[in-house]
Amino acid sequence: MTTEFYKIGSGCDADVLERAGELIRSGELVAFPTETVYGLGANAYLAESARKVYAAKGRPSDNPLIVHVNDSADASLFAETNETYKKLAKRFMPGPLTVILPKKDVIPDEVTGGLRTVAVRCPSNPIARELIRRSGVPIAAPSANLSGKPSPTCAEHVMQDMDGRIAMVIDGGECEIGLESTVIAVSGNSANVLRPGAVTPDMLRSAGIAVTVDEAVTDPAKAGSAPQSPGMKYKHYAPKAKTVIFSGAPEHVVSAICRRYDEQTAKGERVAILGLDEHRYGDRTFISLGSEKRPQEAAARLFAALRELDERGDTVALCEAVDTAGIGLAVMNRMGRAAAFDIEQV
Ligand code: TXA
Ligand code: MG
């Protein structure tokens, strides 16, 4: 199939979004920008569309999709909403938060991987919202990457993975946040964080919610064989390079990384360092995760950095751990998974 590609902002945005909405409504797949990462959108009411999503991504069909709405209140069309959902929606939607709720029958089992629950998200990106509005249906959308690749944070990444596999790609520039939404399971007034994101545990607590963080977020080894969120059991975001994280005082991290870099290079490996701008590695290959003063930069750059490793053909990646405060918890969760949680304390 030929994938149509449109850059939004080129003067025919309304026509493009109208056509994209029609494609989704009629069961085709359209990739679109959100504030977190690009999504691969499908009509959430059609089982056949969900099957196309799994085929395009090469994704196991027991890994459920997030259903996107333009107005948080629309969740009640297909999910059992409750007071906690309403409280969360008022405070955090539209925005990078996904809430798991009991599902209604209108959502086919294919969308939820057979689960009785459905994940709901109301994105803040205006292109995403206008697309959902024009399609006239809720949009089921996983991240628009091939399964096992980092989520796409720009349209170029989407084309690398999806060109020829889907009907349309909408280019809306770079994603602001760069990591996928926070996923929570709610029960009563409590939330369990299944996937950390830009809505942090402290932000949820400040809304009066009791918060726990699932073990699988920081320590997948202990999490057992039945993770709450099926997506957690898959090794995600894995670059081809053997990836190791170094954690400790910055001066120790820098010297341990330099030592390992030189050892591995001497053995003929092609090595790259992922680290913060404040740290000095001489003329060793360095991919910047931004400044330690602006933790959001590491979030926005991490997935592009992981893709860059593959493009360059690096065989070893040495990464600086970042502080887990705020968005840092989400950065370390994704970096940890890229490294199969191979973390050296130095
Ligand atoms: O930021 C995001 O959430 C992006 C954009 C496109 O909105 N979407 C995204 O979707 O990251 P995906 O499919 O790549 O990740 C969805 C995650 C998976 O880990 C999945 O297992 C979990 O949410 N999930 C979805 N439905 C669930 C459910 N009913 N119960 C538990 N976990 C669920
Ligand atoms: Mg994904």
Side-chain angles (χ1 to χ4, degrees):
M1 139 180 357
T2 307
T3 300
E4 296 175 43
F5 183 92
Y6 297 105
K7 198 172 171 60
I8 290 284
S10 56
C12 51
D13 299 0
D15 294 348
V16 169
L17 289 168
E18 188 60 28
R19 168 149 176 75
E22 263 167 38
L23 284 168
I24 293 221
R25 199 162 49 247
S26 68
E28 296 302 322
L29 306 185
V30 176
F32 63 98
T34 82
E35 70 279 19
T36 57
V37 299
Y38 274 74
L40 180 56
N43 184 335
Y45 291 147
L46 301 178
E48 184 50 30
S49 296
R51 280 193 284 269
K52 284 186 190 168
V53 166
Y54 293 116
K57 280 179 68 77
R59 170 169 172 154
S61 57
D62 65 344
N63 194 359
L65 310 177
I66 294 175
V67 178
H68 296 67
V69 292
N70 174 41
D71 178 340
S72 64
D74 289 347
S76 61
L77 296 170
F78 57 85
E80 306 289 350
T81 57
N82 51 34
E83 285 312 308
T84 306
Y85 172 79
K86 284 175 194 152
K87 184 154 126 187
L88 288 163
K90 196 164 168 204
R91 182 76 176 257
F92 299 109
M93 293 183 189
L97 179 69
T98 296
V99 182
I100 314 279
L101 295 171
K103 90 174 188 69
K104 292 184 176 171
D105 288 342
V106 281
I107 296 286
D109 288 341
E110 283 78 358
V111 169
T112 62
L115 295 177
R116 303 303 304 153
T117 52
V118 61
V120 181
R121 159 155 147 73
C122 177
S124 62
N125 180 294
I127 299 171
R129 304 194 61 189
E130 187 59 14
L131 174 63
I132 301 164
R133 196 182 70 74
R134 287 187 188 251
S135 71
V137 291
I139 296 186
S143 48
N145 51 289
L146 286 172
S147 191
K149 292 269 225 135
S151 295
T153 54
C154 63
E156 195 180 51
H157 296 165
V158 178
M159 286 303 275
Q160 284 167 6
D161 288 7
M162 292 296 154
D163 193 11
R165 304 171 80 94
I166 63 175
M168 188 194 282
V169 174
I170 301 173
D171 181 355
E174 282 187 25
C175 299
E176 217 179 300
I177 295 171
L179 297 178
E180 308 87 343
S181 62
T182 306
V183 177
I184 59 173
V186 291
S187 100
N189 194 40
S190 311
N192 188 26
V193 176
L194 304 180
R195 182 176 74 181
V199 173
T200 63
D202 281 344
M203 289 163 73
L204 294 166
R205 285 185 192 108
S206 75
I209 307 279
V211 181
T212 50
V213 176
D214 203 80
E215 265 193 328
V217 167
T218 46
D219 198 347
K222 274 206 221 128
S225 56
Q228 288 243 10
S229 177
M232 310 269 253
K233 74 184 176 210
Y234 299 107
K235 185 183 173 193
H236 264 190
Y237 324 119
K240 292 188 195 90
K242 175 170 169 39
T243 305
V244 186
I245 300 171
F246 292 77
S247 176
E251 60 277 20
H252 295 160
V253 166
V254 171
S255 57
I257 288 181
C258 286
R259 227 173 14 249
R260 183 70 56 85
Y261 185 105
D262 296 345
E263 272 166 32
Q264 294 293 316
T265 306
K267 285 186 188 160
E269 301 288 350
R270 203 187 145 111
V271 191
I273 298 165
L274 266 62
L276 298 171
D277 290 341
E278 283 79 1
H279 301 151
R280 295 276 161 265
Y281 290 98
D283 56 7
R284 296 174 182 86
T285 303
F286 179 81
I287 301 175
S288 169
L289 294 179
S291 168
E292 65 188 3
K293 295 192 199 80
R294 294 179 293 276
Q296 169 51 39
E297 289 180 355
R301 293 182 188 190
L302 179 65
F303 286 153
L306 295 176
R307 279 182 184 256
E308 194 181 327
L309 293 171
D310 279 352
E311 274 160 33
R312 295 161 31 81
D314 292 320
T315 57
V316 175
L318 308 174
C319 308
E320 294 178 5
V322 301
D323 187 347
T324 55
I327 185 96
L329 180 66
V331 175
M332 283 311 293
N333 169 261
R334 307 311 193 277
M335 196 190 273
R337 297 179 69 178
F341 288 88
D342 185 350
I343 304 178
E344 293 190 17
Q345 297 293 331
V346 294

